[in-house]
Amino acid sequence: MKYEIASELGLSNYAQIDKGSLPSRVNGYVGGNMTKKMVAFAEQALASGNISQIINAAPLEQPQQRG
């Protein structure tokens, strides 16, 4: 998703770019637009009553077993 958003913003080679050499504003645009899309997806799923779509889209991490 990150690379898709970057491409939409005109950063077609984002996967190969050293992110540390980019201004924080550019990286922020990518992350901010990812967040907007994820929120829109979740809002749409909630509005349609399809909560399972949200749960299946981002499985939760399982806690690590100690010992």
Side-chain angles (χ1 to χ4, degrees):
M1 180 179 199
K2 180 187 337 182
Y3 302 126
E4 177 185 328
I5 299 293
S7 180
E8 290 174 9
L9 295 173
L11 299 166
S12 58
N13 61 343
Y14 191 74
Q16 288 80 33
I17 295 175
D18 174 18
K19 311 308 181 283
S21 67
L22 290 174
S24 58
R25 182 174 293 242
V26 173
N27 287 317
Y29 281 143
V30 175
N33 281 292
M34 286 174 51
T35 302
K36 284 181 189 177
K37 283 199 173 203
M38 288 186 281
V39 168
F41 171 79
E43 286 176 341
Q44 182 181 17
L46 287 172
S48 67
N50 196 354
I51 295 172
S52 65
Q53 187 177 14
I54 297 170
I55 294 168
N56 293 331
L60 299 175
E61 292 182 17
Q62 297 298 319
Q64 294 181 357
Q65 298 293 325
R66 295 184 183 227

